[in-house]
Amino acid sequence: MTDMRLPLYQRLRDDMLARIAAGEWAPGTAIPTEAELTKHYGVAMGTLRRAVDTLVQDGLMERSQGRGTFIRRPNFDGSLFRFFRHVDDKGERRVPTGRVLTRREEVASSGVANALGLSKNDPVIYLERVRQIEGRNIFHERIWLSTSRFAPLLAIAPADFGNLLYPFYEEQCGQLIGAAQETLSVDTADQDTAKVLDIAPGQPVIMIERIAKGYDGTPLEYRRSTGDAQPFRYRIDIS
């Protein structure tokens, strides 16, 4: 329910986010024109533009000169490819493919429940996944999703999951991922990760924990991506 105490432009912004989250405005498509939106909402042009400006600044929309304003589909592999550099003999970057190994339903641990905004022991779908380059496992991923939002995935065999999960979520469950929060940490490989990555148990690994959210800010996916620390590189330019 809209909080009428909020400024009008912010209420407008929230309504636009709700339309995106509901699938009314799909990622990659243009929103209606400013004239159409001011008429629809009954607001001044300045109010509308301020609402759209906040969505552009948040990276949820982008303006294209002469074409309009579009719903942006974020690149969620950026962190993996920014920190883990995998190149071929010619020095060209290689992009891993994804394969789901396991899909099952379980009860949420306290950590998973907290990440997804659920109650402990609520049902969740667990996915175990690997990212590969030329058949070699590069990342070991553990993923949790709320069963209430992603129930159709329980009827799909692991081998039939798409290479890119976020478009697959959208296609199969109508759930759109619009933003994510990531935390990077150093850990050691447990038995399962060591086996998947073909490294020794206890060897240093880099873990990227991600909470992916819908366009309305609802937590939708909790993911832990683990990779061998050997190819990990961190670079920042300071000026």
Side-chain angles (χ1 to χ4, degrees):
M1 182 177 295
T2 302
D3 186 344
M4 300 305 292
R5 296 171 297 179
L6 294 174
L8 180 56
Y9 82 90
Q10 193 166 337
R11 283 181 270 148
L12 200 59
R13 172 190 183 276
D14 291 347
D15 187 81
M16 290 179 178
L17 286 176
R19 296 174 76 172
I20 299 170
E24 184 178 343
W25 293 349
T29 63
I31 66 173
T33 66
E34 290 183 341
E36 291 172 325
L37 288 174
T38 53
K39 181 178 180 180
H40 173 79
Y41 287 111
V43 298
M45 185 69 72
T47 301
L48 175 71
R49 287 178 177 170
R50 188 174 183 186
V52 173
D53 283 345
T54 63
L55 294 171
V56 171
Q57 291 167 7
D58 290 342
L60 301 176
M61 291 185 181
E62 57 186 350
R63 289 189 172 94
S64 177
Q65 187 66 34
R67 298 179 61 228
T69 301
F70 291 76
I71 308 301
R72 183 173 177 269
R73 190 187 295 276
N75 175 17
F76 292 100
D77 278 333
S79 57
L80 294 179
F81 301 147
R82 181 167 65 251
F83 296 130
F84 294 88
R85 302 289 293 179
H86 295 282
V87 298
D88 60 19
D89 294 337
K90 298 180 181 179
E92 297 180 356
R93 190 180 73 180
R94 304 302 305 276
V95 178
T97 57
R99 183 165 65 91
V100 173
L101 303 176
T102 303
R103 182 227 60 228
R104 66 172 181 263
E105 188 174 30
E106 60 185 33
V107 296
S109 66
S110 57
V112 169
N114 183 62
L116 292 176
L118 304 174
S119 298
K120 186 178 179 181
N121 295 329
D122 275 356
V124 292
I125 297 171
Y126 170 74
L127 304 177
E128 183 179 8
R129 186 174 182 243
V130 294
R131 305 291 291 275
Q132 301 176 315
I133 294 179
E134 295 181 347
R136 179 190 172 196
N137 295 339
I138 303 299
F139 300 111
H140 181 212
E141 296 186 324
R142 295 178 170 105
I143 299 168
W144 292 267
L145 308 156
S146 170
T147 297
S148 64
R149 292 179 177 272
F150 293 89
L153 299 184
L154 292 172
I156 301 173
D160 293 332
F161 276 65
N163 176 45
L164 300 176
L165 288 183
Y166 291 171
F168 193 71
Y169 295 163
E170 182 179 342
E171 176 187 345
Q172 300 295 328
C173 307
Q175 299 295 326
L176 306 179
I177 305 294
Q181 180 183 65
E182 293 186 335
T183 302
L184 185 147
S185 60
V186 179
D187 204 345
T188 55
D190 60 21
Q191 292 286 343
D192 290 340
T193 294
K195 183 177 180 180
V196 169
L197 298 181
D198 193 24
I199 59 178
Q203 185 168 320
V205 292
I206 302 296
M207 179 186 294
I208 298 177
E209 293 184 85
R210 173 188 296 173
I211 299 176
K213 303 177 180 181
Y215 282 86
D216 59 356
T218 301
L220 296 179
E221 179 203 69
Y222 176 46
R223 178 185 303 209
R224 299 176 188 162
S225 299
T226 306
D228 184 0
Q230 178 62 32
F232 175 84
R233 295 292 183 273
Y234 177 74
R235 172 181 172 177
I236 183 170
D237 295 322
I238 302 175
S239 58

